[in-house]
Amino acid sequence: MKKIKIFDTTLRDGEQTPRVNLNAEEKLRIAKQLEAMGVDIIEAGFAVASLGDFEAVKMIAENVEKSTVTSLARAVKKDIEVAAGALKKAKKPRIHTFIATSPIHREYKLKMTKEEILKKVTEMVTYAKSFVDDVEFSAEDATRTEKEYLVEVYETAIKAGATTLNVPDTVGYRTPDEMYELIKYLKENVKGIENVDISVHCHDDLGLSVANSIAAIKAGATQIECTINGLGERAGNTSLEEVVMIVKTRKDIFDEYETAIDTKQLYPVSKLVSLLTGVTAQPNKAIVGANAFAHESGIHQHGVLANPETYEIMKPETVGRNTDSLVLGKLSGKHAFVQKLSALGFEDMADDKVEELFSEFKKLADKKKYVLDEDIISLVTGDAAKIEGKLSLEHFEITRKDKKPKAEITISINKEKKSGEAFGDGPVDAAYNAVNKILNDSFVLEEYKLDSITGDTDAQAQVVVILEKEGKRFMGRGQSTDIVEASINAYINGINRLYKN
Ligand code: KIV
Ligand code: ZN
């Protein structure tokens, strides 16, 4: 069997999705799930980018054991030093260094000659090697680079000690045929390439990232860079769940290939990432979208009832949808709850954390008839989203006076309770006005998004807000079976993040 390594960059390129902003705790929660799912390499961030990124990479490096943990670094000494510092305690550290190679980047961005770039590759890969054995080199915008020059660049990187060569389709420009030809060409022409991993990193600007990655596998790529739900810069990256399921489902084509991914974790991890990032997969998204296994037409429903294979090429259970029939309710005990956590891939939790989540679950079960998988995932994400902030909601009440909604709110500020009231256009507006009044502060509400986590009228709502103050933007999240409460919690969560920075 040929193993295809899965390199997940949700926490680095995925975090470059506009408006996505995760804190270190949230990143660690995602990283632990990626590890549990069998991801080979986790790109934990870009350590030099900010103190927050450094902390997140460090925390993940210290807590992940099975997967290799990497940080991105430009081909710059300082970046490599900071990445190495953040990865110091990693069991399996990798430094991922890159420099652009295409004519347009050479001329306008780097203002460097071909020779100068080759020199940099030698120096910086060698420098990265002085910290770790495992060094990945990326030629940014490789697919728009002259292919003869690309051969020189990669040979230089191999000579300097690179163990993985990454071929990024940075602007999502190539088609599958071209990608196949390019990887084949590199395999045939780069000396020493047989001793290293060949990786591709495809963007989705033309909607071809998955197709390009699959073509690259056929041509000999051994590592695919991808993200959960296809998150990433602009139109995003190759979607991890799609590549993994293509390799698994099309055994007629990929009989000699395998990945180490436990596909039953795909749906829970996708949900976890959408809840934490606030970016919901579109309903018709392959594998993880709400409609991916829904059969609407009568003809299809009839066919599926007679034999699921009439219209289903994969079983929903294979990707972790309806993992088991264990639906929890208010009579469910701790044992069933722990079993459910484990079925969803949350296995590494400390006892006091499980205890805390169990008591949250009990509160939820009092409000909802059935507690579904999505609810449990949302309890875990709600917990990861909690930030030790100054503010928390104590009490709220919405009434109407002369048909105008009025909110009375009590929040605790550093444990001291303060109350206020205000009117608004609607209950949420009134509540936000009351919070502002109590704090004697104001924030621009740039975005407000309400989603229901599951179906039914007793479903939990998740609210995501983007708050702006003095040029800084912060995301806030809140969830509850009560829409107004979820909205206030999201607002307070955003303010806590803002005040913390
Ligand atoms: O898209 C890209 O080129 C990248 C590299 C830094 C790997 O993200
Ligand atoms: Zn990228």
Side-chain angles (χ1 to χ4, degrees):
M1 278 287 192
K2 294 183 188 159
K3 160 105 185 268
I4 301 298
K5 292 184 182 166
I6 296 296
F7 175 116
D8 180 280
T9 181
T10 306
L11 300 174
R12 199 275 300 167
D13 215 319
E15 220 222 355
Q16 289 170 223
T17 303
R19 294 176 186 272
V20 167
N21 186 305
L22 300 165
N23 65 30
E25 281 294 334
E26 293 161 341
K27 286 187 178 177
L28 179 61
R29 174 52 37 226
I30 292 175
K32 292 300 284 178
Q33 292 319 110
L34 295 174
E35 178 186 34
M37 184 168 72
V39 162
D40 299 282
I41 303 107
I42 298 173
E43 188 158 56
F46 191 177
V48 82
S50 69
L51 204 58
D53 256 58
F54 179 86
E55 282 306 323
V57 175
K58 185 165 170 280
M59 203 159 154
I60 292 168
E62 285 168 3
N63 287 284
V64 164
E65 294 189 350
K66 288 186 233 141
S67 315
T68 294
V69 177
T70 186
S71 167
L72 188 65
R74 284 168 303 179
V76 169
K77 264 188 155 181
K78 167 97 188 300
D79 282 33
I80 292 171
E81 284 159 14
V82 175
L87 294 168
K88 213 179 212 152
K89 297 213 175 126
K91 279 242 153 56
K92 300 182 194 169
R94 169 183 294 189
I95 292 177
H96 176 193
T97 188
F98 75 100
I99 190 164
T101 52
S102 64
I104 190 161
H105 280 243
R106 291 196 309 258
E107 185 178 346
Y108 293 100
K109 189 176 90 174
L110 299 174
K111 300 188 189 346
M112 284 169 82
T113 63
K114 285 181 173 176
E115 289 65 35
E116 284 167 337
I117 289 173
L118 291 177
K119 189 162 171 271
K120 255 289 175 268
V121 173
T122 303
E123 285 169 4
M124 293 304 119
V125 172
T126 309
Y127 194 50
K129 273 303 251 199
S130 70
F131 295 100
V132 293
D133 288 336
D134 187 354
V135 173
E136 171 166 334
F137 170 75
S138 284
E140 190 189 11
D141 208 14
T143 56
R144 291 194 301 167
T145 302
E146 307 88 328
K147 59 186 194 332
E148 299 76 12
Y149 177 54
L150 206 51
V151 168
E152 277 187 72
V153 170
Y154 286 134
E155 277 179 1
T156 306
I158 292 177
K159 275 196 203 126
T163 39
T164 301
L165 300 180
N166 185 34
V167 185
D169 188 25
T170 303
V171 291
Y173 182 67
R174 288 293 163 202
T175 63
D177 287 352
E178 290 172 322
M179 205 66 192
Y180 180 90
E181 287 307 325
L182 178 61
I183 300 301
K184 198 162 150 267
Y185 177 83
L186 293 173
K187 267 199 89 165
E188 284 164 2
N189 291 282
V190 175
K191 279 193 210 82
I193 202 165
E194 62 285 0
N195 303 319
V196 299
D197 271 310
I198 307 173
S199 170
V200 292
H201 173 110
C202 301
H203 277 271
D204 208 36
D205 299 68
L206 292 172
L208 290 172
S209 60
V210 172
N212 285 341
S213 303
I214 291 298
I217 295 177
K218 277 310 231 179
T222 50
Q223 173 179 293
I224 298 298
E225 301 201 357
C226 45
T227 57
I228 301 295
N229 299 339
L231 289 180
E233 184 86 35
R234 305 182 311 279
N237 289 67
T238 301
S239 141
L240 180 148
E241 54 279 4
E242 292 177 25
V243 167
V244 166
M245 287 313 291
I246 292 169
V247 172
K248 186 176 173 88
T249 307
R250 292 305 304 274
K251 273 289 154 245
D252 50 335
I253 303 172
F254 291 105
D255 57 334
E256 346 152 50
Y257 298 85
E258 63 180 4
T259 73
I261 300 296
D262 169 9
T263 60
K264 284 202 166 66
Q265 303 289 329
L266 289 173
Y267 184 64
V269 175
S270 158
K271 272 278 164 197
L272 177 82
V273 169
S274 9
L275 286 169
L276 282 175
T277 56
V279 183
T280 323
Q282 83 262 19
N284 57 326
K285 164 91 177 61
I287 320 291
V288 294
N291 300 343
F293 291 89
H295 301 281
E296 191 69 22
S297 91
I299 296 176
H300 285 211
Q301 286 170 354
H302 179 237
V304 169
L305 285 175
N307 180 347
E309 283 180 27
T310 48
Y311 289 102
E312 271 181 9
I313 58 167
M314 302 163 267
K315 290 200 177 84
E317 308 85 85
T318 315
V319 299
R321 305 184 75 139
N322 313 318
T323 28
D324 52 39
S325 55
L326 193 67
V327 174
L328 303 181
K330 67 177 175 189
L331 297 178
S332 305
K334 179 126 162 265
H335 182 71
F337 180 71
V338 171
Q339 225 180 309
K340 177 57 88 182
L341 281 179
S342 149
L344 292 170
F346 303 116
E347 278 180 326
D348 58 313
M349 296 191 161
D351 288 351
D352 53 344
K353 183 59 61 197
V354 173
E355 210 54 66
E356 222 177 279
L357 287 171
F358 183 60
S359 103
E360 300 267 326
F361 155 73
K362 281 289 184 188
K363 281 187 217 151
L364 183 62
D366 270 339
K367 298 186 198 159
K368 280 194 90 203
K369 193 164 172 208
Y370 298 116
V371 179
L372 306 177
D373 288 2
E374 286 82 351
D375 291 314
I376 305 286
I377 298 168
S378 91
L379 283 184
V380 178
T381 55
D383 180 71
K386 265 188 212 150
I387 69 162
E388 292 303 321
K390 285 163 71 160
L391 317 178
S392 63
L393 175 66
E394 292 289 331
H395 174 77
F396 77 96
E397 205 167 315
I398 306 290
T399 50
R400 275 180 189 270
K401 205 171 163 205
D402 302 330
K403 293 197 179 153
K404 271 210 116 189
K406 179 180 159 200
E408 289 166 59
I409 300 224
T410 304
I411 51 182
S412 82
I413 308 175
N414 288 333
K415 304 214 162 75
E416 194 193 322
K417 286 185 191 166
K418 281 201 171 174
S419 302
E421 51 181 64
F423 287 94
D425 291 335
V428 173
D429 187 42
Y432 288 5
N433 289 339
V435 172
N436 291 354
K437 218 165 169 183
I438 297 170
L439 299 175
N440 195 19
D441 206 344
S442 64
F443 314 90
V444 179
L445 180 64
E446 284 203 339
E447 211 171 293
Y448 172 94
K449 198 163 77 136
L450 171 71
D451 270 319
S452 124
I453 291 170
T454 55
D456 269 337
T457 48
D458 64 355
Q460 286 199 88
Q462 165 164 283
V463 173
V464 175
V465 294
I466 309 276
L467 303 182
E468 190 268 347
K469 177 133 189 118
E470 288 155 11
K472 284 190 183 164
R473 270 174 194 78
F474 282 90
M475 182 199 271
R477 270 189 305 272
Q479 60 205 49
S480 168
T481 47
D482 180 314
I483 292 174
V484 180
E485 186 174 354
S487 304
I488 305 173
N489 281 336
Y491 198 60
I492 288 180
N493 184 259
I495 297 173
N496 273 330
R497 284 168 202 255
L498 225 140
Y499 282 171
K500 230 180 164 182
N501 283 273

